[in-house]
Amino acid sequence: MPTQHGMFLSLEGVDGAGKSTHIQWLCEQIQKLGHTVVSTREPGGTELGESLRELLLHQPMHLKTEALLMFAARNEHLEQVIKPALAQGNWVLCDRFSDASFAYQGGGRELGAEAVEALEQWVHPRLQPARTWLFDLPLSLAKERLSKSRDPDRFEQEQNAFFERTRAAYLQRAREQNERFRIIDSSQSIEAIQDVLLTDLQHLHSGYVRL
Ligand code: TYD
């Protein structure tokens, strides 16, 4: 692994896949390994980004507008939070990043990967997470978990076909960028998932040389 400043890590998965369960725990493990960690999320992570998040989750809009606002929030997040944190040698744990746009806007909304790729190339042509954990599980299980959660937002209200397209686009992206992706079978127990995550974190830590 090359020498680098901080380490950029992201968590992905369809709604209900269970990534949120592991965020706090992952932060603690990263700290135990001796790193300062910045935990953040998309859309959001900045004041403007959180305002855009409110609109994105609740306000009906054209699919291109949705993709543009996701990347507008992302650009602000990159400039204000992610890049400065990485430059200081911090580890950044991001709850969703551009892979979510490939999955939800590209796949779910059927905008296509090319349009998302154009935005990605404009906003962050060279920066990608060093590791992306994709929490994957069948639709039936994801739905079951979601029904236990609070009021559904615009994405959580979508039909089964939207979920299936989103999941398929995530898996496609993981195949295309398989070096940085690790697919986590989310139907496993929390303990089994944490075992997998911890082993991977230790591996990332042992290959990490701070500049
Ligand atoms: P989510 O992580 O599910 O928030 P919460 O756990 O609080 O519900 O993210 C909110 C939604 O935003 C989620 O349904 C996926 C969607 N989203 C996109 O459609 N495109 C994107 O680029 C991102 C970052 C999120």
Short mmCIF file of all heavy atoms in Angstrom, two decimals, residues 57-90:
data_model
loop_
_atom_site.label_atom_id
_atom_site.label_comp_id
_atom_site.label_asym_id
_atom_site.label_seq_id
_atom_site.Cartn_x
_atom_site.Cartn_y
_atom_site.Cartn_z
N LEU A 57 -34.20 14.43 0.82
CA LEU A 57 -34.95 13.32 1.43
C LEU A 57 -36.46 13.55 1.40
O LEU A 57 -37.22 12.59 1.51
CB LEU A 57 -34.50 13.08 2.87
CG LEU A 57 -33.05 12.61 3.08
CD1 LEU A 57 -32.82 12.09 4.48
CD2 LEU A 57 -32.65 11.52 2.10
N HIS A 58 -36.89 14.81 1.27
CA HIS A 58 -38.33 15.05 1.43
C HIS A 58 -39.01 15.81 0.31
O HIS A 58 -40.23 15.79 0.21
CB HIS A 58 -38.58 15.77 2.77
CG HIS A 58 -38.01 15.02 3.93
ND1 HIS A 58 -38.51 13.79 4.34
CD2 HIS A 58 -36.95 15.26 4.73
CE1 HIS A 58 -37.78 13.33 5.35
NE2 HIS A 58 -36.83 14.20 5.61
N GLN A 59 -38.25 16.48 -0.54
CA GLN A 59 -38.86 17.33 -1.56
C GLN A 59 -38.85 16.63 -2.92
O GLN A 59 -37.77 16.27 -3.41
CB GLN A 59 -38.03 18.63 -1.63
CG GLN A 59 -38.27 19.51 -2.82
CD GLN A 59 -39.44 20.45 -2.58
OE1 GLN A 59 -39.54 21.04 -1.52
NE2 GLN A 59 -40.31 20.55 -3.56
N PRO A 60 -40.02 16.43 -3.54
CA PRO A 60 -39.99 15.81 -4.87
C PRO A 60 -39.22 16.69 -5.86
O PRO A 60 -39.30 17.92 -5.78
CB PRO A 60 -41.48 15.76 -5.27
CG PRO A 60 -42.23 15.87 -3.99
CD PRO A 60 -41.38 16.71 -3.07
N MET A 61 -38.45 16.06 -6.76
CA MET A 61 -37.66 16.83 -7.74
C MET A 61 -37.31 15.93 -8.92
O MET A 61 -37.42 14.71 -8.83
CB MET A 61 -36.37 17.36 -7.08
CG MET A 61 -35.44 16.28 -6.59
SD MET A 61 -34.00 16.96 -5.73
CE MET A 61 -34.69 17.43 -4.14
N HIS A 62 -36.88 16.56 -10.01
CA HIS A 62 -36.47 15.81 -11.20
C HIS A 62 -35.21 14.99 -10.89
O HIS A 62 -34.38 15.41 -10.08
CB HIS A 62 -36.19 16.81 -12.34
CG HIS A 62 -35.97 16.16 -13.67
ND1 HIS A 62 -34.73 15.74 -14.08
CD2 HIS A 62 -36.85 15.82 -14.64
CE1 HIS A 62 -34.84 15.19 -15.28
NE2 HIS A 62 -36.12 15.22 -15.64
N LEU A 63 -35.09 13.85 -11.55
CA LEU A 63 -33.95 12.97 -11.21
C LEU A 63 -32.58 13.60 -11.48
O LEU A 63 -31.62 13.35 -10.75
CB LEU A 63 -34.08 11.60 -11.90
CG LEU A 63 -33.77 11.43 -13.37
CD1 LEU A 63 -33.67 9.95 -13.73
CD2 LEU A 63 -34.83 12.06 -14.24
N LYS A 64 -32.51 14.47 -12.50
CA LYS A 64 -31.21 15.13 -12.75
C LYS A 64 -30.92 16.14 -11.65
O LYS A 64 -29.76 16.30 -11.24
CB LYS A 64 -31.23 15.85 -14.10
CG LYS A 64 -31.07 14.93 -15.29
CD LYS A 64 -30.92 15.77 -16.55
CE LYS A 64 -30.88 14.89 -17.78
NZ LYS A 64 -30.95 15.69 -19.03
N THR A 65 -31.96 16.82 -11.19
CA THR A 65 -31.79 17.79 -10.10
C THR A 65 -31.27 17.05 -8.86
O THR A 65 -30.36 17.53 -8.17
CB THR A 65 -33.14 18.47 -9.77
OG1 THR A 65 -33.74 18.90 -10.97
CG2 THR A 65 -32.97 19.62 -8.80
N GLU A 66 -31.85 15.89 -8.62
CA GLU A 66 -31.45 15.09 -7.46
C GLU A 66 -29.95 14.73 -7.55
O GLU A 66 -29.21 14.89 -6.58
CB GLU A 66 -32.31 13.82 -7.43
CG GLU A 66 -32.04 12.92 -6.24
CD GLU A 66 -32.93 11.68 -6.30
OE1 GLU A 66 -34.15 11.80 -6.06
OE2 GLU A 66 -32.41 10.59 -6.61
N ALA A 67 -29.53 14.29 -8.72
CA ALA A 67 -28.11 13.91 -8.89
C ALA A 67 -27.20 15.14 -8.71
O ALA A 67 -26.16 15.06 -8.05
CB ALA A 67 -27.90 13.30 -10.27
N LEU A 68 -27.63 16.27 -9.28
CA LEU A 68 -26.81 17.49 -9.16
C LEU A 68 -26.71 17.94 -7.70
O LEU A 68 -25.64 18.35 -7.25
CB LEU A 68 -27.42 18.60 -10.02
CG LEU A 68 -27.24 18.40 -11.54
CD1 LEU A 68 -28.16 19.34 -12.31
CD2 LEU A 68 -25.78 18.63 -11.95
N LEU A 69 -27.82 17.87 -6.98
CA LEU A 69 -27.78 18.30 -5.57
C LEU A 69 -26.94 17.34 -4.72
O LEU A 69 -26.26 17.78 -3.79
CB LEU A 69 -29.20 18.42 -5.00
CG LEU A 69 -30.02 19.59 -5.51
CD1 LEU A 69 -31.37 19.64 -4.81
CD2 LEU A 69 -29.29 20.92 -5.31
N MET A 70 -26.98 16.05 -5.03
CA MET A 70 -26.12 15.10 -4.31
C MET A 70 -24.65 15.52 -4.49
O MET A 70 -23.87 15.53 -3.54
CB MET A 70 -26.29 13.67 -4.85
CG MET A 70 -27.60 13.02 -4.49
SD MET A 70 -27.71 12.64 -2.74
CE MET A 70 -29.38 11.96 -2.66
N PHE A 71 -24.29 15.85 -5.72
CA PHE A 71 -22.90 16.22 -5.98
C PHE A 71 -22.57 17.63 -5.49
O PHE A 71 -21.42 17.92 -5.15
CB PHE A 71 -22.54 16.02 -7.45
CG PHE A 71 -22.10 14.60 -7.73
CD1 PHE A 71 -23.01 13.64 -8.13
CD2 PHE A 71 -20.77 14.23 -7.53
CE1 PHE A 71 -22.61 12.33 -8.35
CE2 PHE A 71 -20.37 12.91 -7.75
CZ PHE A 71 -21.29 11.95 -8.15
N ALA A 72 -23.57 18.50 -5.44
CA ALA A 72 -23.33 19.84 -4.86
C ALA A 72 -23.00 19.67 -3.38
O ALA A 72 -22.02 20.24 -2.87
CB ALA A 72 -24.57 20.71 -5.04
N ALA A 73 -23.80 18.87 -2.68
CA ALA A 73 -23.54 18.61 -1.25
C ALA A 73 -22.17 17.94 -1.09
O ALA A 73 -21.40 18.26 -0.18
CB ALA A 73 -24.64 17.73 -0.68
N ARG A 74 -21.87 17.03 -2.00
CA ARG A 74 -20.60 16.28 -1.92
C ARG A 74 -19.40 17.20 -2.13
O ARG A 74 -18.39 17.08 -1.43
CB ARG A 74 -20.62 15.17 -2.99
CG ARG A 74 -19.38 14.30 -3.03
CD ARG A 74 -19.68 13.01 -3.75
NE ARG A 74 -20.74 12.29 -3.07
CZ ARG A 74 -21.82 11.78 -3.67
NH1 ARG A 74 -21.98 11.88 -4.97
NH2 ARG A 74 -22.76 11.17 -2.96
N ASN A 75 -19.52 18.15 -3.07
CA ASN A 75 -18.40 19.05 -3.31
C ASN A 75 -18.09 19.88 -2.07
O ASN A 75 -16.93 20.06 -1.69
CB ASN A 75 -18.71 19.96 -4.51
CG ASN A 75 -17.50 20.76 -4.90
OD1 ASN A 75 -16.47 20.19 -5.27
ND2 ASN A 75 -17.59 22.07 -4.78
N GLU A 76 -19.15 20.39 -1.45
CA GLU A 76 -18.99 21.19 -0.23
C GLU A 76 -18.34 20.33 0.87
O GLU A 76 -17.45 20.78 1.59
CB GLU A 76 -20.39 21.65 0.20
CG GLU A 76 -20.41 22.84 1.10
CD GLU A 76 -19.86 24.11 0.47
OE1 GLU A 76 -19.72 24.20 -0.77
OE2 GLU A 76 -19.52 25.01 1.25
N HIS A 77 -18.81 19.10 0.98
CA HIS A 77 -18.30 18.16 1.98
C HIS A 77 -16.82 17.87 1.75
O HIS A 77 -16.01 17.84 2.69
CB HIS A 77 -19.14 16.88 1.86
CG HIS A 77 -19.02 15.93 2.99
ND1 HIS A 77 -19.21 14.59 2.83
CD2 HIS A 77 -18.72 16.12 4.31
CE1 HIS A 77 -19.04 14.00 4.01
NE2 HIS A 77 -18.75 14.90 4.91
N LEU A 78 -16.48 17.64 0.48
CA LEU A 78 -15.07 17.36 0.16
C LEU A 78 -14.18 18.54 0.51
O LEU A 78 -13.12 18.37 1.13
CB LEU A 78 -14.94 17.06 -1.34
CG LEU A 78 -15.27 15.64 -1.76
CD1 LEU A 78 -15.53 15.56 -3.27
CD2 LEU A 78 -14.13 14.68 -1.38
N GLU A 79 -14.63 19.75 0.10
CA GLU A 79 -13.77 20.93 0.29
C GLU A 79 -13.67 21.34 1.75
O GLU A 79 -12.62 21.75 2.21
CB GLU A 79 -14.28 22.11 -0.57
CG GLU A 79 -14.21 21.86 -2.07
CD GLU A 79 -12.82 21.47 -2.56
OE1 GLU A 79 -11.82 21.96 -1.99
OE2 GLU A 79 -12.74 20.66 -3.51
N GLN A 80 -14.79 21.23 2.47
CA GLN A 80 -14.79 21.72 3.85
C GLN A 80 -14.35 20.69 4.88
O GLN A 80 -13.83 21.03 5.92
CB GLN A 80 -16.21 22.18 4.24
CG GLN A 80 -16.56 23.54 3.73
CD GLN A 80 -17.79 24.06 4.46
OE1 GLN A 80 -17.98 23.81 5.64
NE2 GLN A 80 -18.64 24.77 3.73
N VAL A 81 -14.65 19.43 4.62
CA VAL A 81 -14.43 18.41 5.66
C VAL A 81 -13.44 17.33 5.23
O VAL A 81 -12.43 17.11 5.90
CB VAL A 81 -15.79 17.76 6.07
CG1 VAL A 81 -15.57 16.67 7.10
CG2 VAL A 81 -16.77 18.81 6.57
N ILE A 82 -13.74 16.64 4.15
CA ILE A 82 -12.99 15.41 3.83
C ILE A 82 -11.53 15.71 3.47
O ILE A 82 -10.61 15.14 4.08
CB ILE A 82 -13.69 14.61 2.70
CG1 ILE A 82 -15.09 14.18 3.16
CG2 ILE A 82 -12.85 13.39 2.30
CD1 ILE A 82 -15.91 13.48 2.10
N LYS A 83 -11.32 16.60 2.52
CA LYS A 83 -9.92 16.87 2.09
C LYS A 83 -9.09 17.46 3.22
O LYS A 83 -7.97 17.01 3.45
CB LYS A 83 -9.90 17.77 0.86
CG LYS A 83 -10.34 17.08 -0.43
CD LYS A 83 -10.19 18.07 -1.58
CE LYS A 83 -10.79 17.55 -2.87
NZ LYS A 83 -10.82 18.63 -3.89
N PRO A 84 -9.61 18.47 3.97
CA PRO A 84 -8.80 19.00 5.09
C PRO A 84 -8.48 17.92 6.12
O PRO A 84 -7.35 17.86 6.63
CB PRO A 84 -9.68 20.10 5.69
CG PRO A 84 -10.61 20.51 4.58
CD PRO A 84 -10.83 19.27 3.76
N ALA A 85 -9.44 17.06 6.44
CA ALA A 85 -9.19 16.02 7.45
C ALA A 85 -8.11 15.05 6.97
O ALA A 85 -7.19 14.70 7.71
CB ALA A 85 -10.48 15.27 7.77
N LEU A 86 -8.21 14.64 5.71
CA LEU A 86 -7.21 13.71 5.17
C LEU A 86 -5.83 14.37 5.12
O LEU A 86 -4.82 13.72 5.43
CB LEU A 86 -7.62 13.23 3.77
CG LEU A 86 -8.85 12.32 3.69
CD1 LEU A 86 -9.25 12.07 2.24
CD2 LEU A 86 -8.60 10.99 4.40
N ALA A 87 -5.82 15.66 4.79
CA ALA A 87 -4.53 16.37 4.70
C ALA A 87 -3.84 16.44 6.07
O ALA A 87 -2.62 16.50 6.16
CB ALA A 87 -4.75 17.77 4.14
N GLN A 88 -4.66 16.43 7.14
CA GLN A 88 -4.08 16.45 8.49
C GLN A 88 -3.70 15.06 8.98
O GLN A 88 -3.30 14.88 10.13
CB GLN A 88 -5.09 17.04 9.47
CG GLN A 88 -5.21 18.55 9.36
CD GLN A 88 -6.35 19.09 10.20
OE1 GLN A 88 -6.75 18.47 11.19
NE2 GLN A 88 -6.88 20.22 9.80
N GLY A 89 -3.91 14.06 8.16
CA GLY A 89 -3.55 12.69 8.55
C GLY A 89 -4.64 11.97 9.33
O GLY A 89 -4.39 10.90 9.89
N ASN A 90 -5.85 12.55 9.34
CA ASN A 90 -6.94 11.86 10.04
C ASN A 90 -7.54 10.77 9.15
O ASN A 90 -7.44 10.83 7.93
CB ASN A 90 -8.07 12.87 10.37
CG ASN A 90 -7.58 13.95 11.31
OD1 ASN A 90 -6.72 13.70 12.15
ND2 ASN A 90 -8.11 15.14 11.13
#
